[in-house]
Amino acid sequence: SMAVLALTAVSSYGAITEVEANNTFATAQGIPVGTYVPDGGFAVDGFLGAGDVDYYSVFLNAGDYIGVAIFDFTPGDSDSGGINDNDSYLGIFDPGGGLFEVDDDDGPGFLSATHIFIPVAGLWRIAVTGFGDPNFDGIGHDESFRYLLDFSHVPEPTTIGLLLAGAALLRRRR
């Protein structure tokens, strides 16, 4: 069946399992670079409980472009006419701990998604919580559901790549 094929494809990329306690910026679950799929992305199989926040850390370079989306495959979990009503809230924190980007409902249904350019290199954090928790501390939400955090990544072009591109342009102009 199609569902089995989809699950096989995801698991072949090695979805990472969320590990508690990852409830704060300081205790974020590290995503090692070696676990990234070939395009630099990864997926995390996580569970958000009432009052829970899940933080993940990933090293990014200045100029990287990332996309982060929350998906929820809970069957029949709806009280709003067939639309899944689980409501995530997503935060991207810079290496110094500042909230750089936040998203509520740009994913499917009430789920979160965002994409940004990374301005400075360092250990960035991705936080997943429930709607009603704007401080990403677990206070104010009672959402409870299993999710898949999908992280896509386009690396910053390397200096050598830019030099080669520049040389090719100069050669073509002559």
Side-chain angles (χ1 to χ4, degrees), residues 127-150:
V128 180
T129 190
F131 178 75
D133 178 16
N135 298 318
F136 295 91
D137 59 9
I139 298 169
H141 89 84
D142 61 1
E143 296 294 322
S144 183
F145 62 96
R146 183 176 171 214
Y147 64 86
L148 185 74
L149 181 150
D150 179 71

Side-chain angles (χ1 to χ4, degrees), residues 56-103:
Y56 304 96
S57 64
V58 59
F59 185 86
L60 297 169
N61 287 304
D64 286 358
Y65 182 76
I66 65 166
V68 183
I70 304 299
F71 294 96
D72 169 20
F73 301 106
T74 310
D77 185 10
S78 170
D79 58 16
S80 55
I83 297 171
N84 192 308
D85 64 338
N86 289 325
D87 197 353
S88 64
Y89 200 64
L90 178 69
I92 310 289
F93 290 81
D94 67 29
L99 183 57
F100 184 79
E101 176 79 6
V102 67
D103 185 78

